[in-house]
Amino acid sequence: MKKETDFIKQRRQKIDALKESGYHLFPNDFEPEHTVKNIQEAIPESDDAPSTIFKTAGRIIAINRFGKSSFIRFRDTTGQLQGYIQKNKVGNDAYALFKQMDIGDFIGISGPIFKTRTGEWTILCENIKLLTKAIRSLPEKFHGIKDPEKRYRQRYLDLIMNQNTRNIFVTRSQIIQNIRQFFLDRQFLEVETPMMQPIAGGAEAAPFITHHNALDMPLYLRIAPELYLKRLVVGGFDRVFEINRNFRNEGVSTRHNPEFTMLEFYQAYATYTHLMDLTEIMFQFVAQQVLSQLTCEYQGETIDFSGSWKRMTLMDSLVEIGGVPSDILADRDALVAFANEKGIKMKPDRKTGKIVTKLFDTLVEPKLIQPTFITAYPVEVSPLSRKNDQNPELTDRFELFIGGREIANGFSELNDPDDQRERFLNQVKERESGDEEAHPMDEDYIEALEYGLPPTAGEGIGIDRLVMLLTNADSIREVILFPHMKNKAGN
């Protein structure tokens, strides 16, 4: 820390001296006319340099000084380029100021391009201007920033120093843009629903709680937009989607961040099987647009999005993949005993539906590498899903798994208000028994259902996990610009 403090002190002394000499260190009157990408696109295939005078700006990332001339390397949001600065070209005053510039400063330059003896196209600077004087030094380029703690806390430095990080977030933006276009092309209406809600509903999760002073009432950061989006379907919007921020007061891990992004969409007169078909098409569209292919490498595995994806029921997956004996699937006590044998802890009062899903989470989910739809979830773990007509103990629901983790959850919506009320009451009992994540009663939503929700199917897709998949990121923190972290010691 002493060394860094001394360096900053020296920089400040340099800044003070420049100010006393009359230099404006933070001007705002330079207007770039070209990006690095524009300049690179203008480079001819031949060695004949174009006569264009380019005017551009960026952050200095390297300086090589040779007395009365210097090479710099600078970067803007589109790429990096080299500049050549000569004292006799830019003048004594400008070159004197340049000699006080450092790596990390922003510079504006203009001039033609030429090819150096080493074959690199370079701007021959005729005019230069200091645009921002940096007080702190950038990390050494050779070492970069490898410490994840520093990269996440100071993402701006990570973006400056690590091209891979910048690529991830450019890809993330492209993924979201293509998802949005996919639904707009299919006549879905993009909407916005409340992020602060009087009841935290739409999923089973612990919410963040705040207080509205003027209304003197508690409010909850939303854990899902589901119930509001279905109210819109009641209101006559047959196809809606929202790319939304959700908040869940849960642990932080490589897969979980308290604040995360999801896509949720609802389509009237559709079933959960329609949405599985649509999901396949959407993932294939996004992969093709972003990766230019239907495969991606993820943590040592090649994921193939092409064709029709595997579909199997939850119970079948437990037997075929999880190794659970088929003859104990309906025997709660036998399932608990089996779980104990496998070292899977179960609460003594846990219901059968939650036991089988816990077994699935442990024994099956990590093995689902290629895109796989798991269907037919128990009613007791699906409080908003429509019951299956052939087996009312199960629901018309699916979850999508890729790379050993859940990516999406969808189902045919429960639109019977009396059935929904009964499900909510069961959830209330579970809350009273200590399950803080059980769904609360929502009388207003039931009233909306009483006005009539057409047959509808809906789905939620984790955007962060999709970005992880398509960028081969091993942690959700790699794909969230500013992930939540504990305060530093002493803060």
Side-chain angles (χ1 to χ4, degrees), residues 195 205-208 221-224 245-250 257-260 484:
M195 295 178 71
F208 288 94
L221 295 183
R222 70 175 172 203
I223 57 177
R245 303 292 284 180
N246 291 335
F247 307 85
R248 297 183 184 179
N249 202 346
E250 57 189 17
N257 192 68
E259 178 182 0
F260 60 99
H484 290 278

Side-chain angles (χ1 to χ4, degrees), residues 390-451:
Q390 283 70 46
N391 185 350
E393 293 183 357
L394 302 176
T395 59
D396 292 340
R397 175 186 172 190
F398 69 85
E399 288 190 344
L400 170 63
F401 296 86
I402 308 176
R405 63 189 57 177
E406 178 199 347
I407 300 292
N409 178 29
F411 41 84
S412 296
E413 302 297 336
L414 174 58
N415 60 349
D416 178 342
D418 294 334
D419 189 353
Q420 184 65 82
R421 179 182 292 278
E422 188 65 28
R423 305 262 198 105
F424 278 167
L425 288 172
N426 289 334
Q427 291 283 301
V428 169
K429 291 178 183 178
E430 292 191 19
R431 289 177 69 87
E432 292 173 348
S433 298
D435 186 351
E436 296 180 356
E437 294 187 353
H439 205 292
M441 175 63 73
D442 190 335
E443 292 285 358
D444 182 77
Y445 176 68
I446 293 173
E447 183 176 335
L449 290 184
E450 290 174 344
Y451 282 98

Side-chain angles (χ1 to χ4, degrees), residues 5-174:
T5 301
D6 289 344
F7 181 89
I8 293 173
K9 185 177 180 180
Q10 292 170 8
R11 281 269 181 115
R12 290 191 181 279
Q13 289 173 346
K14 182 186 291 188
I15 287 172
D16 291 342
L18 288 170
K19 286 181 178 178
E20 289 177 6
S21 298
Y23 289 110
H24 191 357
L25 306 186
F26 302 96
N28 195 21
D29 58 355
F30 185 88
E31 298 183 20
E33 297 173 2
H34 307 90
T35 64
V36 167
K37 185 178 180 181
N38 294 153
I39 298 169
Q40 291 170 335
E41 289 174 343
I43 293 174
E45 293 183 5
S46 67
D47 289 342
D48 297 329
S51 58
T52 308
I53 299 298
F54 296 100
K55 185 179 181 183
T56 189
R59 185 191 292 273
I60 299 173
I61 58 174
I63 302 176
N64 290 319
R65 304 185 194 273
F66 305 100
K68 296 182 180 180
S69 65
S70 300
F71 282 98
I72 65 167
R73 191 166 296 278
F74 67 96
R75 184 169 62 214
D76 68 8
T77 191
T78 68
Q80 63 180 18
L81 197 64
Q82 184 169 260
Y84 181 54
I85 303 172
Q86 292 177 297
K87 183 177 182 179
N88 62 359
K89 276 282 186 183
V90 300
N92 293 336
D93 289 345
Y95 199 76
L97 176 58
F98 169 71
K99 290 176 67 175
Q100 300 303 310
M101 293 187 195
D102 298 289
I103 293 173
D105 293 351
F106 282 84
I107 189 172
I109 60 178
S110 64
I113 60 171
F114 73 102
K115 202 171 192 179
T116 65
R117 284 179 289 181
T118 59
E120 182 171 359
W121 286 99
T122 301
I123 293 186
L124 176 59
C125 301
E126 296 179 340
N127 295 283
I128 62 172
K129 184 168 188 175
L130 175 65
L131 303 182
T132 297
K133 185 66 184 164
I135 296 174
R136 293 179 180 267
S137 63
L138 296 179
E140 291 182 32
K141 183 175 178 57
F142 177 77
H143 295 97
I145 306 179
K146 294 184 170 58
D147 177 15
E149 178 87 3
K150 188 176 183 67
R151 289 178 52 237
Y152 302 147
R153 290 190 187 279
Q154 295 180 283
R155 181 67 86 184
Y156 47 90
L157 287 180
D158 188 22
L159 292 168
I160 292 170
M161 302 304 300
N162 297 326
Q163 180 64 45
N164 184 59
T165 299
R166 293 194 295 276
N167 292 343
I168 285 174
F169 290 103
V170 169
T171 300
R172 181 187 175 104
S173 178
Q174 293 170 346

